Amino acid sequence: TLIMTETTKARKRSSIFLRARNSFYRSKGERGADVDTLRGNSGSNFENEAVVTRGGSGLGFFSCFGKTNYSGKKYILVKGPHIFVFNQATSSAPKFAIPLKHEIVNVHVSKGKTQIVALETGLGDVQYEFRFDLSENDGIAKEFGRVLKEQILVGNSDVVKKKLGHRSDKKSSIKYADSIGLKKEEDQPEWQKDITTKGFNDMRLAQQIL
């Protein structure tokens, strides 16, 4: 009876995530992946508000092309090897998702009541910065950094397992979050490095035309 009960519960959970996933794809990513659904039964790895900035804090070279960093206070949720970025905690789906695989986590020294955690490439290029308010919890940024390092290892392990053809033994809530994350990766804002490269190419093209 216990085995049947657990099997029934597992099927029910899978059905819930299947309906949510179908809603997500029918709406083209606009609903079906709210914070509560992404938490699932096992909860999230991390949740909090933070100011999210694409690339470093400075505008740098690419500002002359009329581009600005994507920034603003968002609600972020980490579930498995993805950071889900919501406009608000009540949003029906994340605005975009950030994959965690080979990045370096840099927890900056706190300044007053704020602290920045940067997600960088192996070469030190800043992909994202997350600025936390420490007023209510002075350890929130460090906790975020710890979780990111942990989930980057998970992301690396997933890549290896996939290459080796190993079957996934993840829970249905993790599989659901992974599927949403893979789709929402496509909605990430342009990275400063990509914009800078495009800017140089546009300048070269303009010089050739002239």
Side-chain angles (χ1 to χ4, degrees), residues 25-155:
Y25 282 102
R26 281 198 305 270
S27 67
K28 297 182 179 179
E30 294 300 317
R31 65 174 186 273
D34 58 19
V35 168
D36 192 49
T37 307
L38 278 171
R39 284 181 189 137
N41 294 315
S42 56
S44 62
N45 300 104
F46 179 90
E47 288 181 48
N48 207 73
E49 284 188 336
V51 174
V52 182
T53 305
R54 184 59 154 139
S57 301
L59 292 177
F61 171 81
F62 71 106
S63 61
C64 65
F65 295 100
K67 302 287 185 178
T68 57
N69 284 356
Y70 182 95
S71 62
K73 182 175 280 190
K74 304 297 177 186
Y75 192 82
I76 57 176
L77 180 150
V78 180
K79 177 84 171 184
H82 279 99
I83 305 171
F84 296 93
V85 181
F86 293 82
N87 278 332
Q88 300 174 350
T90 55
S91 298
S92 56
K95 189 170 183 64
F96 61 93
I98 305 166
L100 298 171
K101 292 178 182 176
H102 308 292
E103 297 81 9
I104 303 297
V105 179
N106 183 3
V107 180
H108 293 202
V109 175
S110 60
K111 293 183 178 180
K113 289 294 182 180
T114 62
Q115 190 167 11
I116 289 174
V117 177
L119 198 60
E120 305 174 354
T121 68
L123 297 175
D125 294 318
V126 178
Q127 293 182 320
Y128 286 94
E129 283 186 348
F130 304 86
R131 188 165 75 248
F132 292 92
D133 183 349
L134 307 180
S135 298
E136 295 184 5
N137 183 352
D138 60 7
I140 192 69
K142 291 179 180 178
E143 173 63 11
F144 180 61
R146 183 194 67 77
V147 170
L148 290 192
K149 291 175 183 177
E150 187 177 83
Q151 294 308 315
I152 286 170
L153 293 177
V154 172

